[in-house]
Amino acid sequence: MARHKVEICGVNTANIRVLSSEENLELFKRMALGDSRAREELVNGNLKLVLSILKNFNNKVDNLDDLFQVGCLGLVKAIDNFDISFDVKLSTYACPMILGEIKRYLRDNNALRISRSVKDLAYRTLKLKEEKMSCDGIEPTNKEIADMLGVSEFDVSNALESLREPVSMYEPIYNDGGDTIYLADQISNKSSEYDLDYRLALEKAMNKLKNRDRQILESRFIVGKTQMEIASELGISQAQISRIEKNAINSLKKYIK
């Protein structure tokens, strides 16, 4: 992926048309008169706004295709709520809305969710450490902090750990000019009968799924395709793929139990 370019599956970003302010205004007038095609033209003619915001997420997320869809949703909301009576450009109004939609999606779909109480304890711990360091010149232990806050030492340690950024298993941790050693290489893999039982149970559960559900899960989690790619292959929307995927996973959980 180029440094200043966003690549989206199935979209030739180099050929996206950009509407002028005058063209936007004319389309909004047509849209107000009930012209549904004008709304579609407004969306297609302002996709560059979504791409300009996605540049901030290059190399920060694994799947820009999904973020593009979410950003487009923010663009549609901006277009539907835009008021041409105010002397404001569409880009000025839409960009914060697009960014907000993307940030909300990332927050709601974060695999690691830290509870508010744990975060509060972490920040209270940091504040106490800072105050004690300032007064005594010695950093207090987690046990001392726990006693002052009336919680367990484990709670304090756990809260501080929650502030750490997640690390990929494929994060390189050593390279002496030869083969790179990754974090995953340092994690033991102890096979057991339980692992075999689990794999057999998963295989049996997969066989109970409908053919299309099984196909989508295999494409997503074994082949590694995006929801957009699968949607294009099956001729349905990305939203439908997302819904089928979620229901199939829930069914798997029930079958495995």
Side-chain angles (χ1 to χ4, degrees):
M1 184 176 291
R3 183 179 177 185
H4 298 295
K5 182 182 178 184
V6 175
E7 295 181 359
I8 303 299
C9 179
V11 178
N12 189 340
T13 57
N15 293 335
I16 291 179
R17 185 189 171 202
V18 179
L19 296 175
S20 65
S21 297
E22 292 75 18
E23 288 174 316
N24 276 331
L25 180 59
E26 184 59 34
L27 286 170
F28 272 115
K29 290 179 180 177
R30 283 170 48 192
M31 182 176 156
L33 295 174
D35 187 344
S36 59
R37 181 157 181 79
R39 181 174 182 263
E40 182 180 341
E41 289 181 38
L42 276 167
V43 173
N44 292 331
N46 287 281
L47 290 177
K48 286 282 188 180
L49 295 179
V50 179
L51 295 176
S52 67
I53 290 176
L54 287 189
K55 287 180 181 178
N56 299 321
F57 298 91
N58 254 348
N59 303 319
K60 295 181 180 178
V61 295
D62 294 330
N63 195 341
L64 282 178
D65 294 347
D66 289 346
L67 284 196
F68 179 69
Q69 293 297 315
V70 174
C72 288
L73 177 60
L75 174 61
V76 170
K77 288 182 178 180
I79 289 172
D80 287 344
N81 291 283
F82 188 67
D83 190 338
I84 61 175
S85 64
F86 293 98
D87 189 19
V88 176
K89 289 184 177 181
L90 175 62
S91 58
T92 304
Y93 178 78
C95 284
M97 239 173 162
I98 295 169
L99 180 59
E101 202 71 30
I102 290 174
K103 285 185 174 179
R104 191 178 304 112
Y105 171 83
L106 291 174
R107 183 193 65 219
D108 293 344
N109 290 274
N110 191 345
L112 298 177
R113 298 187 182 181
I114 310 301
S115 71
R116 185 74 182 181
S117 60
V118 172
K119 286 184 178 179
D120 287 343
L121 178 57
Y123 287 114
R124 281 191 291 150
T125 298
L126 293 177
K127 184 179 179 181
L128 266 178
K129 281 180 177 285
E130 185 178 339
E131 290 174 352
K132 295 292 286 183
M133 278 287 291
S134 178
C135 294
D136 306 333
I138 301 174
E139 182 177 351
T141 65
N142 287 348
K143 177 68 168 61
E144 292 171 334
I145 293 290
D147 290 341
M148 285 185 276
L149 294 176
V151 297
S152 70
E153 184 179 357
F154 172 81
D155 288 336
V156 171
S157 299
N158 184 56
L160 291 175
E161 283 294 322
S162 73
L163 298 178
R164 294 178 181 270
E165 287 291 328
V167 178
S168 169
M169 288 181 63
Y170 299 98
E171 181 81 14
I173 59 175
Y174 179 74
N175 190 326
D176 62 353
D179 293 336
T180 300
I181 297 177
Y182 298 93
L183 180 60
D185 298 327
Q186 303 300 303
I187 300 176
S188 61
N189 180 19
K190 300 177 181 177
S191 299
S192 65
E193 293 182 3
Y194 170 80
D195 296 327
L196 178 60
D197 289 343
Y198 184 81
R199 288 197 298 271
L200 291 173
L202 179 59
E203 183 178 345
K204 187 180 294 185
M206 286 286 285
N207 289 332
K208 292 182 180 179
L209 295 177
K210 297 178 182 176
N211 288 335
R212 187 175 67 169
D213 293 4
R214 186 171 64 252
Q215 178 187 352
I216 289 174
L217 289 187
E218 289 174 347
S219 296
R220 280 283 284 150
F221 301 107
I222 297 178
V223 180
K225 293 182 180 180
T226 66
Q227 290 182 349
M228 283 292 294
E229 289 173 327
I230 301 171
S232 178
E233 291 175 359
L234 298 182
I236 57 180
S237 70
Q238 184 264 337
Q240 286 177 288
I241 293 294
S242 179
R243 185 167 59 252
I244 294 171
E245 178 185 313
K246 182 178 180 180
N247 290 337
I249 291 173
N250 287 335
S251 296
L252 273 182
K253 291 177 180 178
K254 293 177 183 176
Y255 294 148
I256 290 176
K257 285 179 180 179

